[in-house]
């Protein structure tokens, strides 16, 4: 507690607050612009943080994360274009409300929901992360290996709906990370004689390639014109007490759902919003108005997606396992600053761990204030043409990669991964699963090899140690869940004379 | 178009997985055997190679028997002629910029300004109206970033 208070007192100084405000504003702006997003912006700014103090760099990146998840709300409500994937569900009710002349009210529900979601989940972050980290210090190599396996199954299971393709993407990510020096023996692996690859595929060109350059290619191909835009008035941006009294349970439930889904490694805010929205609709007294401007829909989606941000930070700082794709990039940021993500962070660099926790709350408050005051202005930035934004983004990528390594070859690697990322986009392979595979591979390999050395070349303790067995069982459940869920939803019909050829549609899962 | 994208993904993904698997296997065979620990540097590449092989074969089999195994291309809109042209020319512009820097054919600032302006004009919907603004923005960005990097962050930039 004392360390957390110290972190708060330190963050209130000029430079930390400057980076919080700058990060939130940048995040909100980029989050509001369709086609850009948190992963892209954070990857793009990683080279810049190279020159910053580690604590300030992490504070800056976390603030961007908070801002960008919230910023998607603005374009989703005013332009029917979700700025980020996590705002897709907000579009369903935000834009219809805006078209009914209630844009300010729709935005205010979104802003207050984002703030409440972020605040509720921050309590869990502050309360759960330190004890979880202390608990994780007891983990042996096999526990970590099993945890990585579970995280990979989780991300694969939610990646664009196809687990097999998710696992293939993760395995390719593993393969890419194997190129270069083997950390245990120093042997150079898989370079096939190419000296330039002796240091492997470095983090920054790989991340910028698959996240940013691939998205630029997608955006270049998209020739659609801006859509109708609604406007909001400042005086409509505040909720009344009656609104809170009416929706308090939805605020709380959605925040808890978002927090829980955020904690699950690799799942992320878009899934949190979808699950929360679906539950809100199922429990609503008026489900028929969902999709036509339901306040409940906006609350459910926005509370959950913001709550998932802090939820996802829990496994990141406590276990060193990314809670979402953006967290995988934050792990990259820690690595760039020579910091070891995981439970050791609380022991060795408590100022980083508690700084991140404090920054998450302060950024949430700053996000709330900026969104209330400037949503309309931020929306105007969405009108900046691509011909200005995309060249600048590519330029910053090239300069960023060159300045961190001093090698033009890394720029070619970035372009190569950009093309690979674009092909993945088009073929239904999850980029998130690929990146998690790439980030988690060294952990998985290192822990497996340590485990084998520790237990005399035996894999048996992986199944006999309770925690690792627990993680493996959870991985198995995740793997089998799609099949089991289908069984539960579509029980085999009993053979009956009346049922043959009839009512087949009743057995199909309904999409509402 | 969607159907052809789906078919390309159905064949392409297992093929890509198998290619990665074979490359990993061949690379692992060139590595020294384990000496001080059970797995050695080749152990994990072999595991991932086998895993990729199995997953790709399974994905290929599912695709071959007509069951959808992925979500191919449906989230992306159809690429029209304009989009394709932008992708090709934009890619060529970025490629030329890096070549110019690598071979030091031009100093950093003019190369960057030309790249930013050229790329912007390729993406522009209204070249006549936006030309001056794009040119001005390119000049500001190119010069500004160059000064920031060389004067503040003391970075040696590529180019002649």
């Amino acid at each position: 507690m004392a360390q957390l208070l110290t972190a708060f007192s330190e963050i209130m100084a000029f430079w930390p607050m400057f980076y919080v405000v700058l990060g939130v504003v940048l995040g909100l702006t980029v989050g509001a612009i369709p086609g850009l997003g948190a992963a892209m912006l954070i990857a793009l700014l990683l080279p810049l943080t190279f020159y910053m103090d580690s604590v300030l760099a992490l504070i800056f990146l976390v603030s961007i994360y908070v801002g960008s998840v919230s910023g998607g709300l603005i374009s989703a409500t005013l332009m029917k274009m979700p700025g980020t994937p996590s705002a897709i569900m907000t579009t369903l009710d935000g834009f219809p409300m805006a078209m009914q002349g209630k844009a300010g009210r729709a935005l205010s529900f979104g802003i207050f929901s984002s703030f409440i979601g972020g605040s509720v989940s921050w309590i869990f972050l502050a309360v759960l992360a330190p004890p979880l980290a202390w608990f994780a210090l007891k983990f042996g190599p096999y526990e970590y290996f099993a945890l990585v396996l579970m995280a990979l199954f989780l991300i694969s299971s939610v990646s664009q709906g196809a687990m097999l393709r998710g696992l293939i993407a993760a395995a390719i990510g593993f393969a890419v990370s194997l190129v270069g020096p083997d950390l245990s023996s120093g042997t150079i692996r898989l370079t096939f004689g190419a000296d330039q690859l002796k240091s492997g595929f470095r983090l920054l060109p790989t991340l910028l390639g698959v996240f940013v350059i691939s998205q630029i290619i997608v955006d270049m191909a998209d020739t659609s014109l801006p859509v109708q835009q609604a406007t909001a008035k400042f005086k409509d941006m505040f909720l009344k007490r009656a609104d809170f009294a009416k929706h308090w349970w939805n605020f709380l439930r959605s925040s808890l759902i978002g927090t829980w889904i955020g904690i699950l490694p690799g799942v992320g805010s878009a899934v949190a919003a979808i699950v929360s929205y679906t539950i809100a609709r199922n429990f609503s007294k008026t489900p028929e108005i969902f999709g036509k401007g339901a306040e409940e829909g906006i609350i459910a989606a926005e509370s959950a997606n913001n709550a998932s941000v802090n939820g996802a930070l829990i496994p990141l700082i406590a276990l060193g396992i990314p809670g979402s794709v953006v967290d995988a990039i934050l792990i990259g940021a820690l690595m760039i600053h020579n910091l070891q993500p995981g439970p050791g962070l609380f022991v060795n660099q408590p100022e980083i761990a508690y700084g991140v926790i404090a920054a998450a709350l302060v950024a949430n408050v700053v996000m709330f204030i900026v969104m209330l005051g400037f949503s309309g202005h931020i929306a105007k930035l969405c009108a900046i043409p691509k011909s200005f934004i995309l060249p600048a983004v590519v330029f910053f990528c090239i300069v960023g990669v060159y300045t961190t390594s001093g090698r033009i070859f890394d720029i070619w690697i970035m372009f190569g991964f950009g093309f690979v990322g674009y092909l993945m986009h088009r073929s239904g392979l999850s980029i998130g699963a690929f990146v998690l595979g790439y980030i988690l591979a060294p952990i998985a390999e290192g822990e497996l090899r340590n485990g084998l050395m520790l237990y005399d070349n035996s894999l048996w303790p992986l199944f006999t140690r309770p925690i690792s067995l627990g993680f493996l069982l959870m991985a198995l459940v995740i793997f089998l869940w799609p099949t089991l869920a289908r069984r539960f939803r579509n029980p085999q019909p009993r053979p009956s004379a009346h049922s043959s050829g009839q009512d087949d549609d009743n057995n199909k899962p309904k999409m509402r | 178009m969607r159907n052809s994208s789906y078919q390309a993904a159905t064949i392409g993904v297992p093929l890509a997985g198998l290619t990665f698997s074979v490359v990993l296997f061949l690379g692992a065979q060139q590595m020294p055997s384990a000496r001080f620990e059970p797995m050695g540097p080749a152990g994990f590449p072999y595991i991932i190679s086998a895993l990729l092989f199995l997953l790709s074969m399974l994905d290929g089999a599912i695709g071959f028997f007509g069951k959808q195994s992925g979500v191919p291309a449906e989230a992306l809109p159809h690429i029209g002629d304009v989009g394709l042209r932008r992708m090709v020319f934009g890619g060529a512009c970025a490629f030329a910029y890096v070549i110019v820097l690598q071979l030091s054919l031009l100093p950093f600032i003019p190369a960057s300004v030309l790249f930013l302006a050229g790329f912007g004009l390729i993406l522009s919907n209204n070249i006549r109206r936006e030309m001056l603004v794009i040119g001005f923005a390119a000049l500001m960005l190119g010069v500004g970033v160059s000064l920031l990097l060389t004067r503040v962050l003391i970075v040696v930039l590529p180019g002649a």
Side-chain angles (χ1 to χ4, degrees), chain A residues 51 160 162 165 174 182 189-190 192 220-221 387 394-395 399 402 412 415 422 426 428 445 449 452-453 457, chain B residues 13 23 37-39 41 44 59 69 71 73 76 79 86-87 95 97-98 102 119-120 130 149 155-156 158:
Chain A
Y51 298 94
Q160 300 180 18
R165 289 273 165 99
F174 264 74
D182 168 31
R189 302 191 289 191
L190 301 163
F192 296 97
M220 278 199 292
S387 50
V394 177
F395 177 60
V399 170
Y402 181 80
W412 293 118
F415 283 161
Y422 177 71
R426 293 220 65 100
E445 183 184 12
R449 288 165 81 169
L452 286 171
M453 279 195 283
N457 209 5
Chain B
V13 171
V23 169
E37 41 131 3
M39 275 177 70
F44 211 63
D59 191 55
S69 60
V71 190
L76 292 174
I79 303 174
R86 281 181 178 182
M87 283 167 70
F95 189 85
Y97 174 54
V98 181
Q102 187 160 21
F119 201 4
E130 292 180 352
L149 290 173
V155 174
V156 179

Side-chain angles (χ1 to χ4, degrees), chain A residues 323-334:
Chain A
S324 71
V325 174
V326 180
D327 289 271
I329 306 175
L330 287 178
I331 284 191
L334 287 168

Side-chain angles (χ1 to χ4, degrees), chain A residues 40-325:
Chain A
M40 190 173 176
L41 181 64
I42 292 176
L44 195 62
L45 290 175
L46 273 185
L48 188 67
T49 66
F50 193 67
Y51 298 94
M52 291 165 66
D53 171 70
S54 305
V55 181
L56 289 181
L58 265 293
I59 286 173
F60 183 46
L61 296 177
V62 168
S63 306
I64 291 172
Y65 189 11
V66 172
S68 58
V69 170
S70 314
L73 155 76
I74 299 171
S75 47
T77 304
L78 299 182
M79 301 170 74
K80 204 187 177 183
M81 294 170 80
T84 54
S86 59
I88 287 171
M89 304 314 284
T90 312
T91 312
L92 299 181
D93 291 293
F95 189 68
M97 269 187 84
M99 286 295 101
Q100 292 159 18
K102 295 189 276 188
R105 190 161 169 79
L107 273 180
S108 70
F109 268 111
I111 294 166
F112 276 89
S113 304
S114 299
F115 178 68
I116 292 171
S119 305
V120 169
S121 64
W122 182 84
I123 296 169
F124 284 88
L125 171 66
V127 171
L128 282 184
L132 190 60
W134 290 113
F135 177 64
L137 282 172
K138 294 175 187 152
F139 284 10
Y142 280 150
E143 278 79 10
Y144 260 106
F145 180 68
L147 181 62
V148 169
L149 282 186
M150 191 191 79
L152 284 173
F153 275 104
L154 255 176
I155 182 71
S156 305
S157 68
V158 295
S159 57
Q160 300 180 18
M163 177 176 266
L164 191 57
R165 289 273 165 99
L167 286 173
I168 290 175
I172 293 175
F174 264 74
V176 166
S177 83
L178 291 175
V179 178
D182 168 31
L183 293 179
S184 300
S185 64
T187 309
I188 301 296
R189 302 191 289 191
L190 301 163
T191 58
F192 296 97
D195 287 345
Q196 300 269 33
L197 288 177
K198 274 186 176 170
S199 53
F201 291 114
R202 295 179 194 203
L203 185 80
L204 199 64
T206 310
L207 288 183
L208 285 175
V210 293
F211 276 120
V212 186
I213 300 296
S214 67
Q215 187 60 46
I216 295 280
I217 300 173
V218 172
D219 288 347
M220 278 199 292
D222 178 17
T223 52
S224 57
L225 294 169
V227 294
Q228 190 178 5
Q229 183 167 346
T231 52
K233 290 174 188 162
F234 181 72
K235 66 180 173 63
D236 299 331
M237 301 286 277
F238 294 91
L239 294 185
K240 298 185 177 76
R241 196 180 293 172
D243 294 319
F244 290 107
K246 186 179 172 189
H247 295 295
W248 71 271
W249 174 236
N250 193 4
F251 278 119
L252 185 64
R253 181 187 58 209
S254 305
S255 303
L256 293 175
I257 291 169
T259 308
W260 170 243
I261 290 178
I263 292 173
L264 297 176
V267 180
S269 52
V271 177
I274 293 168
V275 172
S276 173
Y277 184 90
T278 310
I279 290 174
R281 187 181 53 198
N282 290 345
F283 280 91
S284 172
K285 288 174 187 163
T286 52
E288 68 280 359
I289 63 164
F290 273 71
K292 296 171 188 165
E295 295 167 354
E296 293 167 87
I298 300 172
I299 294 169
E302 284 302 314
S303 300
N305 68 22
N306 270 69
S308 74
V309 172
N310 289 335
L313 285 174
I314 296 172
L316 170 76
I317 54 174
L319 305 173
I321 299 292
S324 71
V325 174

Side-chain angles (χ1 to χ4, degrees), chain B residues 21-96:
Chain B
S21 165
V22 170
V23 169
L24 270 181
F25 185 80
L26 293 176
Q29 281 202 313
Q30 294 176 0
M31 288 176 213
S33 54
R35 284 198 296 179
F36 306 111
E37 41 131 3
M39 275 177 70
F44 211 63
Y46 276 130
I47 294 172
I48 301 299
S49 169
L51 185 70
L52 255 175
F53 183 81
L54 283 175
L55 292 171
S56 306
M57 292 297 282
L58 192 60
D59 191 55
I62 291 171
F64 183 76
F65 290 111
K67 287 187 179 177
Q68 185 176 340
S69 60
V71 190
E74 281 169 6
L76 292 174
H78 164 67
I79 303 174
D81 288 343
V82 178
L84 197 61
R85 202 163 52 230
R86 281 181 178 182
M87 283 167 70
V88 170
F89 285 115
C93 190
F95 189 85

Side-chain angles (χ1 to χ4, degrees), chain B residues 105-117:
Chain B
L105 297 176
L106 275 177
F108 181 79
I109 292 179
S112 302
V113 173
L114 283 175
F115 162 71
L116 286 163

